[in-house]
């Protein structure tokens, strides 16, 4: 199951942003892997309170989204999806920018976490 964890400044979350980020990140995965994957995407938005986020050694209130996608390792090198990591990073960044605006583009950090085969499961079953 594709799973996003997004750490973002609490001030960037305004009640509308959450829905846009959740939908946009699911759409980003769907754009790369297709609609069946989109329907499986889980998103956790973690707001960081004011003065508890810093950039460059200085506290900041900038959104500075840190987006992590955890996905089975094989998906990143699937033969039917050439350049999957690059396509995902571009689509994820664009999804965040679509919601938060172009000025945040240079602050969006995307990490793709690969879960090795046999190291994940859903519903209590190895998957």
């Amino acid at each position: 199951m594709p799973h996003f964890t997004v750490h973002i400044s609490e001030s960037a979350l305004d009640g509308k942003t959450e829905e846009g980020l959740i939908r946009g990140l699911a759409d980003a995965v769907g754009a790369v892997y297709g609609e069946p994957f989109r329907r499986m995407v889980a998103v956790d938005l973690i707001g960081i309170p004011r003065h508890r986020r810093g950039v460059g050694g200085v506290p900041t209130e900038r959104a500075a989204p840190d987006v992590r996608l955890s996905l089975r390792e094989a998906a990143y090198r699937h033969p039917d999806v050439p350049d999957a990591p690059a396509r995902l990073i571009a689509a994820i960044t664009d999804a965040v920018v679509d919601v938060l605006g172009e000025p945040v583009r240079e602050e969006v950090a995307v990490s793709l976490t690969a879960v090795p085969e046999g190291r994940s499961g859903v519903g209590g079953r190895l998957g």
Side-chain angles (χ1 to χ4, degrees):
M1 174 184 304
H3 181 254
F4 282 98
T5 303
V6 181
H7 289 90
I8 187 167
S9 176
E10 185 75 35
S11 63
L13 302 174
D14 64 5
K16 295 180 200 170
T17 303
E18 294 88 341
E19 184 178 337
L21 287 172
I22 291 168
R23 182 178 39 256
L25 293 172
D27 289 348
V29 170
V32 174
Y33 292 106
E35 181 61 23
F37 267 77
R38 183 198 178 287
R39 290 191 304 265
M40 294 188 294
V41 173
V43 179
D44 294 329
L45 301 175
I46 301 169
I48 300 178
R50 194 172 183 207
H51 304 299
R52 291 192 182 170
R53 166 153 276 192
V55 175
V58 179
T60 185
E61 290 192 35
R62 296 184 346 225
D66 178 27
V67 183
R68 296 172 192 259
L69 173 61
S70 176
L71 191 57
R72 290 187 184 157
E73 185 176 40
Y76 294 123
R77 49 185 165 70
H78 195 286
D80 294 337
V81 186
D83 302 323
R87 291 173 61 192
L88 282 166
I89 289 171
I92 291 165
T93 301
D94 287 345
V96 173
V97 168
D98 285 348
V99 174
L100 299 176
E102 190 63 38
V104 78
R105 181 176 297 279
E106 296 303 316
E107 297 180 350
V108 179
V110 178
S111 299
L112 304 177
T113 304
V115 178
E117 185 177 341
R119 301 262 179 101
S120 66
V122 175
R125 293 179 302 279
L126 186 64

